[in-house]
Amino acid sequence: MSEQVPEIEFEESGSKGRYLYRADGAEAEMTFSKAGEKLIIIDHTGVPDAFRGQGVGLRLVTRAVEDARAAGKKIMPLCPFANAQFRRHPEWADVLKG
């Protein structure tokens, strides 16, 4: 029997939003602000110790990249973690705000 991996959730309210990962009573999040119609600014990624080393932070950023790509948006990763992920993933250059 295979384990179900929880989906990344998306919440949006006005000019702010966040991506969430919830499992076993813990919650990881990546927050962002919208700057106009075509730019999102990732400002924070928080991953509790319970999820460390499991790729949860990367999954949060990857979901934002996929969503931005699908919507024709750009991302400005001000969060140090998200910024580091963009440096490690040159294939995301199409959504990186230069």
Side-chain angles (χ1 to χ4, degrees), residues 11-63:
E11 294 178 354
E12 189 174 34
S13 178
S15 65
K16 303 261 183 210
R18 66 185 188 148
Y19 289 90
L20 296 163
Y21 175 89
R22 294 181 179 138
D24 302 323
E27 180 178 283
E29 72 171 359
M30 183 185 69
T31 60
F32 66 89
S33 298
K34 292 187 272 186
E37 292 295 313
K38 294 292 181 183
L39 178 65
I40 69 166
I41 300 167
I42 296 175
D43 48 31
H44 171 74
T45 303
V47 177
D49 289 340
F51 297 145
R52 296 227 187 264
Q54 298 177 33
V56 171
L58 175 59
R59 287 186 56 206
L60 293 167
V61 179
T62 300
R63 169 70 190 276

Side-chain angles (χ1 to χ4, degrees), residues 7 14 52 79:
E7 290 294 313
R52 296 227 187 264
C79 161

Side-chain angles (χ1 to χ4, degrees), residues 57-84:
L58 175 59
R59 287 186 56 206
L60 293 167
V61 179
T62 300
R63 169 70 190 276
V65 168
E66 291 167 353
D67 288 355
R69 190 174 280 144
K73 295 182 180 182
K74 296 284 186 183
I75 295 175
M76 181 182 296
L78 293 185
C79 161
F81 176 80
N83 195 346

